[in-house]
Amino acid sequence: MDSVKIKAFKTAFPYTVPIGASFIFLGASYGFLMVSKGFSPLYPFFMSLLIFAGSVEFVSVTMLLGSFEPVSAFLAAFMLNARHLFYAVSMLKPYNVPGWKKLYLIFGINSMTKVPDGVDRSCFMLFVTMLNHFYWVAGATLGAVVGSAINFPSEGIEFVLPALFLVIFAEQWLNADAHGAALTGLAASVLCLFIFGTENFMIPAMLMMLL
């Protein structure tokens, strides 16, 4: 690894520590949930490595336990991750990096608002995404290994993902000078939840926020 990459890695690492702590905890919850349902620890390892989408991974537990319905599974995964179509609008400029790094950044859907001066931008973004990916896989694997060795109830563990989003929202609310965007998101979500119901409100709400 050359000096440019080493500098980018050393600079990126501290940025990832807070999200790493939450990813390891969330990933461990997912890994524990998988083995509590009778799956081998290899399942959460490979699924966290290849899917890297927490909400889909949690829902996939139910999918794998049910009947084989690939079309329904595809539609469910697409709807759950359709919000990334809207996230991507704000990431077109940050993802303007050369070569294969761009593909991996799209897979990791990570964007830093400001790259420190004197640091290679594409390498910095790449290492942030790689480290976040590593935290998630490590957490899921750790949870699976510990969960396979310890037997205790897993009811309610699925709530860790909504809890993370609530914490992120609260932090952004406290750190923002203006709350127009957050209030718009809340209003759109509540309105679409009332009109379309719990199963179908996500996409209409995202469209309203985008408009």
Side-chain angles (χ1 to χ4, degrees):
M1 185 181 295
D2 57 41
S3 59
V4 173
K5 294 179 180 178
I6 292 174
K7 182 178 181 180
F9 179 85
K10 289 182 177 180
T11 307
F13 177 72
Y15 282 83
T16 67
V17 172
I19 194 67
S22 61
F23 269 21
I24 289 175
F25 175 76
L26 282 170
S29 301
Y30 164 67
F32 175 76
L33 178 65
M34 285 289 288
V35 296
S36 71
K37 300 298 183 181
F39 293 98
S40 163
L42 291 176
Y43 274 79
F45 169 75
F46 282 110
M47 293 180 71
S48 60
L49 178 67
L50 301 175
I51 299 175
F52 194 31
S55 53
V56 172
E57 289 175 47
F58 274 90
V59 172
S60 68
V61 179
T62 304
M63 294 180 184
L64 292 172
L65 291 173
S67 57
F68 180 66
E69 297 180 2
V71 176
S72 297
F74 168 79
L75 291 175
F78 179 81
M79 293 297 290
L80 282 170
N81 277 336
R83 66 185 186 277
H84 294 297
L85 297 172
F86 303 93
Y87 296 162
V89 174
S90 64
M91 295 183 179
L92 293 176
K93 185 176 180 180
Y95 283 172
N96 186 24
V97 296
W100 62 269
K101 296 176 185 176
K102 183 174 183 177
L103 297 177
Y104 185 67
L105 291 174
I106 292 172
F107 170 72
I109 195 160
N110 171 72
S111 175
M112 296 298 297
T113 56
K114 180 176 174 55
V115 178
D117 296 332
V119 178
D120 183 90
R121 177 172 170 270
S122 62
C123 288
F124 177 82
M125 293 179 64
L126 175 67
F127 285 129
V128 168
T129 304
M130 289 179 66
L131 285 166
N132 288 340
H133 193 186
F134 169 77
Y135 298 141
W136 182 256
V137 175
T141 305
L142 176 64
V145 172
V146 174
S148 63
I150 301 175
N151 183 24
F152 58 91
S154 61
E155 289 80 5
I157 200 170
E158 299 92 339
F159 185 69
V160 294
L161 198 63
L164 173 66
F165 286 119
L166 289 173
V167 171
I168 292 174
F169 175 82
E171 182 180 6
Q172 291 181 341
W173 177 275
L174 293 173
N175 292 332
D177 296 326
H179 302 300
L183 292 173
T184 299
L186 285 174
S189 299
V190 171
L191 179 62
C192 291
L193 183 63
F194 177 76
I195 296 174
F196 299 101
T198 57
E199 299 295 328
N200 303 304
F201 84 98
M202 180 66 75
I203 300 301
M206 288 290 183
L207 287 171
M208 288 185 65
M209 293 177 206
L210 181 63
L211 291 173

